[in-house]
Amino acid sequence: MRKSTRTLLAAALVLGVAAGPALTPAFAATTSAAAASRASSPDLSAVIAGLPRADATAALVRVGGTEGSWRGSAGVHDLETNTPADPAARFRAGSVTKVFTAATVLQLAAEGRIDLDRTARSYLPDLIPGRYATVTVRQLLNHTHGIPAADLPGETVEEWYANRFAVHTPEELVRSATSQPREFRPGTKQHYLNIGYTIAGLIVERVTGDSYEHQVERRILRPLGLRDTYFPGGDPEIRGPYNHGYQTMRIDDGSTGLRDVSVWGTTDGWAAGDLISTTADLERFTRALFEGGVVRGPLLEEMFTLPKVEDFTSGDPAAYSVGLSMKRLGGREVWGKTGGRWGYNAAIASTRHGERTLVYSVNSTDAKGQDMNRTALGLMVAAYGLPE
């Protein structure tokens, strides 16, 4: 959710989407863009019509909230059979995982088991070295910690694909990151990276004496009935029904084409990005989160408070809070989180009081590209309007 206004506007104009749609009251889920367009918003339908195409092979979308709802899907389950995309399919949610991690930490803070102002080193003295002794838990969660990314092998998608089954432990990632000089003095700038959430996951384990995954399951997945959401651990496959993900890369004959990347290990992401879910589950989670049903009381405001610092790379004002990010679209604040794993882009978003929520999964052919995927961007703008 954090591209420049120029990039967002240019892509929106290319898509021909000028404003958020007028939504009808809730109606039954549709199984194709054509059916969806007969039922509700032409803007949302137009964004996903024509899939598969160069930028994406499938899309699953849910819009909800007090202003009305819309559901649609388009594209194919896979490029071999060309059967329609399964609207109930599971997918890799990528960095949407961070919202679950942040909510778990905030619950533990509410219980007095984690102090957001205490240092990470006080919880993990055996893992966090002295050069990062002042980094607090809050700074881990709002990306103002100054710890660089872990050093992972590979510089091209082809090299990453070759290492797709490599297994990384959270401790290994933290040691790699903290062995490097800090990027800036903690609390003075913001740099969005995974490493803060990897450390946060380890703090959850240290204070509870339990696995991070079980804590999220016990605190969030089970109470909300998110039965199709799970953590894959070391399993590189997606359990249950899923729509195949594809990535543009150099293939075996030396040409550039699409390779099926559905099976890919995610241990490098862990508490920062390995969640697997569905649009129905993520919509339920988003609604509960924004209504105060996951994090309660004053600590919920941590998720809607941006630190007053500049972005480390762009110099723009900070755009990330604890767990979420914010963009002004259609004249109002939209809070949420996007995520990307190879072959899959996902997002949850909502206006502050839940008037309009958006959840999507887009099977992007360049899910980790420099710019936001064309289809994903179109959905965001169609749901909420143009950026200011």
Side-chain angles (χ1 to χ4, degrees):
M1 291 182 66
R2 194 180 158 270
K3 291 294 177 185
S4 69
T5 299
R6 179 181 298 177
T7 301
L8 283 164
L9 181 59
L13 292 175
V14 169
L15 286 164
V17 178
L23 301 179
T24 67
F27 61 91
T30 60
T31 56
S32 70
S37 65
R38 290 193 296 271
S40 187
S41 165
D43 286 338
L44 285 159
S45 300
V47 172
I48 61 175
L51 294 177
R53 54 177 178 247
D55 72 300
T57 59
L60 314 177
V61 190
R62 284 177 176 247
V63 177
T66 57
E67 295 178 353
S69 63
W70 185 90
R71 300 177 189 175
S73 65
V76 296
H77 168 264
D78 65 86
L79 294 176
E80 286 69 38
T81 66
N82 283 318
T83 55
D86 180 355
R90 290 173 174 172
F91 51 84
R92 302 191 189 280
S95 286
V96 174
T97 309
K98 292 182 176 71
V99 191
F100 288 77
T101 303
T104 299
V105 172
L106 291 174
Q107 285 190 13
L108 288 165
E111 297 165 10
R113 301 171 76 180
I114 290 179
D115 183 340
L116 299 182
D117 293 315
R118 270 186 68 182
T119 66
R121 192 172 191 228
S122 70
Y123 293 102
L124 302 169
D126 53 325
L127 197 58
I128 306 299
R131 66 163 60 93
Y132 294 108
T134 64
V135 172
T136 67
V137 175
R138 181 182 284 104
Q139 289 166 351
L140 295 175
L141 297 177
N142 67 16
H143 306 282
T144 61
H145 47 75
I147 305 172
D151 187 15
L152 293 171
E155 295 182 359
T156 67
V157 63
E158 291 81 11
E159 291 172 339
W160 290 319
Y161 179 76
N163 291 301
R164 67 193 181 280
F165 298 132
V167 176
H168 305 277
T169 69
E171 293 83 359
E172 166 201 336
L173 297 172
V174 174
R175 289 190 183 99
S176 170
T178 58
S179 67
Q180 305 172 59
R182 68 187 189 187
E183 293 185 324
F184 49 82
R185 184 163 55 85
T188 62
K189 295 186 183 297
Q190 184 173 79
H191 190 189
Y192 177 83
L193 292 171
N194 283 347
I195 193 61
Y197 279 74
T198 302
I199 299 172
L202 289 170
I203 292 175
V204 168
E205 295 195 332
R206 186 64 59 91
V207 302
T208 63
D210 190 12
S211 73
Y212 157 80
E213 294 87 348
H214 185 251
Q215 281 293 306
V216 178
E217 179 185 358
R218 184 176 74 81
R219 293 170 175 277
I220 299 175
L221 306 189
R222 203 179 302 156
L224 295 182
L226 308 184
R227 296 180 179 85
D228 290 312
T229 302
Y230 74 98
F231 294 93
D235 186 355
E237 298 190 12
I238 300 173
R239 299 201 302 262
Y242 66 89
N243 299 316
H244 288 235
Y246 296 88
Q247 168 66 33
T248 302
M249 67 172 77
R250 189 175 63 255
I251 53 180
D252 296 338
D253 64 3
S255 63
T256 299
L258 291 179
R259 188 186 290 275
D260 191 326
V261 292
S262 308
V263 180
W264 194 308
T266 58
T267 56
D268 62 306
W270 194 51
D274 73 346
L275 196 75
I276 289 173
S277 192
T278 63
T279 54
D281 273 9
L282 290 183
E283 183 178 56
R284 182 178 296 181
F285 170 71
T286 303
R287 185 169 60 247
L289 180 70
F290 279 72
E291 289 174 352
V294 179
V295 179
R296 296 173 177 83
L299 283 168
L300 180 59
E301 289 308 308
E302 294 283 345
M303 305 190 85
F304 300 102
T305 303
L306 299 176
K308 298 184 184 304
V309 298
E310 294 182 350
D311 181 83
F312 176 60
T313 56
S314 70
D316 294 334
Y320 294 95
S321 62
V322 169
L324 300 176
S325 62
M326 192 276 286
K327 174 69 71 174
R328 289 194 63 85
L329 299 173
R332 55 185 174 177
E333 291 184 355
V334 177
W335 294 84
K337 189 72 192 73
T338 58
R341 296 294 306 185
W342 300 110
Y344 299 90
N345 278 132
I348 65 171
S350 180
T351 50
R352 177 64 182 85
H353 298 292
E355 297 90 349
R356 181 170 298 179
T357 64
L358 169 68
V359 173
Y360 67 68
S361 167
V362 174
N363 293 59
S364 305
T365 58
D366 192 10
K368 288 182 171 287
Q370 197 68 12
D371 292 318
M372 191 172 180
N373 175 267
R374 175 177 179 264
T375 298
L377 173 60
L379 290 170
M380 194 69 71
V381 175
Y384 293 107
L386 291 171
E388 294 181 357

